[in-house]
Amino acid sequence: MSTSTGTMNLTLKIWRQLNSESPGAMHTYQVSDVSPDMSFLEMLDVLNEDLNAAGEEPIAFDSDCREGICGMCGLMINGDAHGPAVTTTCQLHMRSFSDGETITIEPWRAEAFPVVRDLIVDRGAFDRIIQQGGFISVNTGSAPDAHAVPIPRDNAMHAFNVATCIGCGACVAACPNGSASLFMGAKITHLGELPQGQPERDSRVTNMVAQHDHEGFGGCTNIGQCTAACPKEIPLDVISQLNKDLRTALKNGR
């Protein structure tokens, strides 16, 4: 690993693809004088500045908050979702790599996440899954008083912890089957722990699972790569809760 002193010279092998219909290929680039304190995305910014200066097309990649909150910055780095550290790509620093290293950078590998351009994929499938049940129905009017609906502390904390899922898609990219079960389980468990989520509990799980399968995500075989790659450390037991809720819903005829 590099230290915080000195700079690094790197070889980057990056997937380039004009659009979802065009064939893609790996291209090799050299980037020099990289500070170990740079984030991975800042390193890509430097490369794009060099490409712009040379009159070449910059590399397209997603980013927004660059604070590990939004989940936009998903990349496969040397075969790992978000890279060698369990964090988002924007929070990965170049000190995780060595001077002279060759780094392979690809978009998420999943049939349900088609490539838009270069390293950008369309994660609209996640939005469509949420539209099928990731919500609660409430009456309109003024907000209820605080603590009007008592919630046990353990339930509230579990709901809060799994609600930290940012929908980055690392779980799908890391899964050999391309399953979104960890993402879906987090959303179902979050709402299922709260009394406000009970009215749609059965229809939520059946509708979301149906949309998941329709989008082309694979089935879960409990390999566990999803939770190992998750930057928010969503536990694997949300998939058990997903399966339990689905069995109950089907038993209830939903």
Side-chain angles (χ1 to χ4, degrees):
M1 299 295 178
S2 177
T3 66
S4 58
T5 60
T7 59
M8 297 184 290
N9 299 320
L10 302 167
T11 299
L12 306 179
K13 294 185 176 181
I14 302 178
W15 183 261
R16 302 301 305 264
Q17 186 171 340
L18 183 61
N19 53 52
S20 59
E21 285 75 37
S22 302
M26 301 299 294
H27 291 239
T28 302
Y29 302 93
Q30 304 296 324
V31 60
S32 58
D33 298 327
V34 173
S35 168
D37 295 325
M38 283 182 179
S39 74
F40 199 86
L41 296 188
E42 287 172 331
M43 181 274 295
L44 290 179
D45 289 337
V46 169
L47 173 59
N48 276 344
E49 289 175 2
D50 292 343
L51 292 176
N52 276 324
E56 298 181 38
E57 191 70 22
I59 295 154
F61 62 91
D62 261 333
S63 70
D64 190 5
C65 73
R66 298 205 178 198
E67 294 179 348
I69 297 171
C70 71
M72 291 287 290
C73 56
L75 298 176
M76 294 296 291
I77 302 170
N78 287 343
D80 294 323
H82 289 306
V86 183
T87 185
T88 53
T89 304
C90 63
Q91 295 299 294
L92 177 68
H93 289 85
M94 297 311 298
R95 53 181 169 267
S96 297
F97 302 93
S98 302
D99 182 30
E101 187 171 347
T102 297
I103 304 174
T104 301
I105 311 168
E106 303 166 86
W108 280 162
R109 303 167 177 171
E111 181 181 347
F113 292 156
V115 172
V116 175
R117 184 182 180 93
D118 294 342
L119 303 176
I120 299 175
V121 299
D122 180 0
R123 284 173 287 192
F126 272 8
D127 297 329
R128 292 186 289 274
I129 290 174
I130 292 297
Q131 289 167 3
Q132 291 301 313
F135 54 83
I136 62 170
S137 296
V138 295
N139 294 327
T140 58
S142 59
D145 293 336
H147 305 303
V149 180
I151 302 172
R153 181 184 182 279
D154 288 347
N155 296 79
M157 291 304 297
H158 193 205
F160 178 83
N161 289 335
V162 298
T164 58
C165 168
I166 55 177
C168 66
C171 53
V172 177
C175 176
N177 305 325
S179 173
S181 292
L182 192 75
F183 164 79
M184 193 165 48
K187 304 307 179 184
I188 286 171
T189 302
H190 160 218
L191 294 173
E193 287 286 346
L194 304 175
Q196 295 91 336
Q198 301 313 306
E200 292 101 353
R201 186 162 186 164
D202 285 355
S203 60
R204 175 181 300 116
V205 66
T206 54
N207 291 343
M208 291 177 75
V209 168
Q211 188 66 37
H212 170 278
D213 295 347
H214 175 75
E215 295 290 346
F217 292 105
C220 174
T221 51
N222 295 312
I223 294 173
Q225 286 296 101
C226 53
T227 189
C230 177
K232 297 303 178 181
E233 300 181 337
I234 302 298
L236 199 62
D237 63 13
V238 299
I239 299 178
S240 299
Q241 188 62 55
L242 163 66
N243 292 331
K244 180 180 178 181
D245 279 16
L246 183 59
R247 288 193 298 269
T248 299
L250 294 175
K251 183 179 179 181
N252 293 338
R254 298 303 298 262

